[in-house]
Amino acid sequence: MKKCKRFKRLISDYIEGALNVTDKTSFESHLQDCVNCADTVSRVTKLSTRMKKLKHIKTSEDFNTVLHTRIRIESGIGRRRLHEIVWSWPAKVPVYGMALAIIVIAVVLVLEQIDNPYQSPAPAPYINAEWYGGNPDQQTSSDILTETENVIYVIERTSPEKLIQSQGQSLNSSYLDSINRTQDSDSLTLRNSQSYQVNQIVY
Amino acid sequence: MTHEEKTKKPSDEELIERFQNGDLYAFDLIVKRYKNQLLNFVYRFLGNSEEAEDLVQETFLRVYRNRKAYQKVAKFSTWIYTIAGNLAKTELRKRKRRKFFSITDLGYDDKDYDISDEAFNPEKTVDGSIKEEIIHQEIQSLSPKFREVILLRDVQELSYEEISKIVNIPLGTVKSRVNRGRLKLQEKLKHLLKN
Ligand SMILES: [Zn+2]
């Protein structure tokens, strides 16, 4: 029994092939004599294999949108403003909620012209679509953002001036189109907009 | 993927360096690379997928916020797992405090929940999803110090060296903790791991 205790300490090393020859030989000869330890080794081996096959879950589809928005909010807007924005969110219009929020944030950013401590000395986060779409030499296909991600990214990175322009034109049709496309593939739900509360954003 | 393409793929460390120099596309690639693996780690650690997603969001916010703090001496994966792991442990402590102050929870302990008596039914386990659920529950019943290392080793498949850095305990301790964690878990799951 005392022997078993000692061998049980070596089980992981044994199944991972990390024992030296001497230890391995004595371990295996113990397994020949001890059903109890042999069963344990078999179960630990199975367990270890089974753990690797546990179902993998995926982040929700609006993960990136929410993250980008949180970054923008954290970067540019003070606590009071944020409070107002969150409370004035059009919670009953989930389809446009996030898009409008992004516009509101962009407008506020411009109006307040707040310096963003996280972005200096780094360049401003507004990257145009041409640049964004075209740097084929830098990534492999698995590394390039998918079309959906790209659309979201481009909308989010559109300069505030352009967003205001779009807003001024009561959201021109091509802009609305691009938002709709994003929303379709991104299935923004009411739950998601509502779970986005002040205390999660303000630090 | 051809060999040539493989060699072109930027390393995590290259991406974070580009991000440190202001390239936000690199940040998005980091998010893309890590969001699901972190989600699965945190999900198995906390037991709840919505909380896990929120925590992974928080992890990336911290990467964004503290990007200048990352230094090349460490592997990027070690750094980001450390952030996620610490956030998860903080969350567990918060839960414990909430539980302590909640009268309804008094006298109720995780150990009261013994799946092998009532909920477990051999016929049911033919369905893989039920097995999944039982395994998930039993992982939750491990104490966090065993749960964390066993997840990093058996679900995330990280090396002992990396786990040792993430959890900030000596290599030998990590190894024996993983082993003890496995022994505990196989004991709880005996009925599922029969020949
Ligand atoms: Zn034995």
Side-chain angles (χ1 to χ4, degrees):
Chain A
M1 275 297 132
K2 209 176 172 188
K3 223 175 164 188
C4 291
K5 211 175 166 187
R6 189 170 71 83
F7 281 114
K8 278 187 176 153
R9 273 191 225 128
L10 300 177
I11 285 183
S12 287
D13 280 340
Y14 176 70
I15 65 172
E16 288 172 2
L19 287 183
N20 62 40
V21 184
T22 326
D23 286 344
K24 192 179 173 221
T25 313
S26 66
F27 192 92
E28 280 172 347
S29 81
H30 177 72
L31 293 187
Q32 298 285 322
D33 307 332
C34 180
V35 187
N36 188 10
C37 279
D39 283 349
T40 308
V41 168
S42 140
R43 283 194 300 267
V44 171
T45 310
K46 270 188 204 158
L47 172 69
S48 204
T49 317
R50 184 66 183 82
M51 292 281 279
K52 290 176 181 64
K53 289 184 197 150
L54 280 176
K55 239 186 265 160
H56 276 233
I57 58 168
K58 286 186 170 174
T59 55
S60 53
E61 286 185 10
D62 62 350
F63 186 89
N64 290 18
T65 315
V66 173
L67 179 62
H68 287 166
T69 309
R70 287 179 77 169
I71 287 172
R72 295 199 118 193
I73 289 173
E74 176 179 302
S75 307
I77 301 172
R79 190 178 282 258
R80 193 184 53 81
R81 280 280 178 186
L82 175 65
H83 188 78
E84 286 167 9
I85 286 166
V86 172
W87 282 105
S88 64
W89 263 26
K92 293 202 169 164
V93 195
V95 176
Y96 294 111
M98 183 65 81
L100 278 174
I102 292 168
I103 292 167
V104 170
I105 291 157
V107 171
V108 172
L109 277 174
V110 171
L111 291 180
E112 296 208 331
Q113 294 190 323
I114 290 171
D115 280 338
N116 173 4
Y118 299 106
Q119 282 165 6
S120 56
Y126 310 117
I127 296 165
N128 67 43
E130 290 79 15
W131 182 86
Y132 196 71
N135 50 349
D137 54 341
Q138 283 177 326
Q139 282 82 34
T140 61
S141 54
S142 67
D143 245 342
I144 292 172
L145 301 177
T146 63
E147 201 180 326
T148 311
E149 288 165 327
N150 215 343
V151 170
I152 295 166
Y153 196 96
V154 171
I155 288 177
E156 290 180 10
R157 303 292 185 223
T158 305
S159 73
E161 291 75 16
K162 275 189 189 160
L163 283 172
I164 290 166
Q165 213 181 349
S166 313
Q167 206 188 30
Q169 296 160 3
S170 324
L171 293 174
N172 68 49
S173 60
S174 70
Y175 185 69
L176 262 184
D177 252 18
S178 64
I179 289 177
N180 279 332
R181 255 185 288 127
T182 314
Q183 301 301 349
D184 283 347
S185 48
D186 216 29
S187 65
L188 262 183
T189 62
L190 187 56
R191 186 190 65 74
N192 284 325
S193 354
Q194 283 182 334
S195 69
Y196 200 59
Q197 287 162 3
V198 182
N199 60 357
Q200 288 176 295
I201 309 160
V202 179
Y203 304 95
Chain B
M1 194 187 287
T2 68
H3 177 70
E4 203 189 345
E5 278 170 332
K6 228 175 191 170
T7 52
K8 264 196 222 163
K9 191 174 171 177
S11 69
D12 295 344
E13 290 71 24
E14 279 163 8
L15 286 179
I16 182 79
E17 194 180 344
R18 274 164 54 184
F19 174 46
Q20 285 173 330
N21 292 322
D23 180 353
L24 290 157
Y25 185 90
F27 175 71
D28 274 12
L29 290 179
I30 289 170
V31 172
K32 188 177 178 168
R33 256 182 215 185
Y34 278 94
K35 63 179 181 181
N36 283 320
Q37 68 185 83
L38 288 179
L39 180 73
N40 281 282
F41 166 54
V42 179
Y43 166 56
R44 299 293 175 188
F45 200 4
L46 296 181
N48 175 307
S49 60
E50 279 185 29
E51 270 182 334
E53 177 146 336
D54 213 47
L55 206 142
V56 175
Q57 286 264 342
E58 184 62 34
T59 304
F60 286 120
L61 271 179
R62 297 207 178 196
V63 169
Y64 186 92
R65 211 186 286 160
N66 303 312
R67 62 178 178 264
K68 302 283 181 196
Y70 169 78
Q71 289 179 349
K72 259 188 199 160
V73 283
K75 262 177 87 178
F76 177 76
S77 57
T78 307
W79 191 57
I80 197 167
Y81 268 102
T82 307
I83 297 173
N86 287 342
L87 285 170
K89 279 178 268 189
T90 306
E91 179 58 33
L92 289 177
R93 278 194 289 273
K94 275 190 209 158
R95 267 191 206 170
K96 216 173 172 182
R97 240 177 290 143
R98 280 198 293 268
K99 201 171 172 180
F100 182 78
F101 287 112
S102 161
I103 294 169
T104 50
D105 278 340
L106 281 181
Y108 184 86
D109 191 78
D110 287 344
K111 282 170 193 154
D112 295 342
Y113 180 62
D114 189 357
I115 204 147
S116 56
D117 293 344
E118 288 177 85
F120 174 64
N121 171 346
E123 274 81 26
K124 278 189 190 169
T125 63
V126 176
D127 177 0
S129 68
I130 291 169
K131 267 190 190 175
E132 278 268 338
E133 188 50 33
I134 295 171
I135 295 171
H136 184 72
Q137 294 295 346
E138 293 299 0
I139 292 172
Q140 302 315 304
S141 76
L142 286 174
S143 74
K145 71 170 188 176
F146 291 114
R147 191 158 75 231
E148 183 178 26
V149 292
I150 209 171
L151 290 175
L152 290 171
R153 182 64 186 167
D154 283 342
V155 180
Q156 306 293 309
E157 301 186 53
L158 301 180
S159 71
Y160 286 114
E161 286 75 14
E162 184 158 16
I163 299 170
S164 155
K165 285 179 191 141
I166 291 168
V167 185
N168 196 22
I169 53 176
L171 186 62
T173 316
V174 174
K175 285 188 173 179
S176 73
R177 234 182 237 184
V178 168
N179 191 55
R180 282 168 68 202
R182 283 174 178 163
L183 286 172
K184 282 171 193 285
L185 200 52
Q186 64 85 29
E187 192 66 42
K188 292 167 187 283
L189 293 168
K190 239 176 184 166
H191 52 276
L192 287 182
L193 299 164
K194 277 186 293 214
N195 287 319

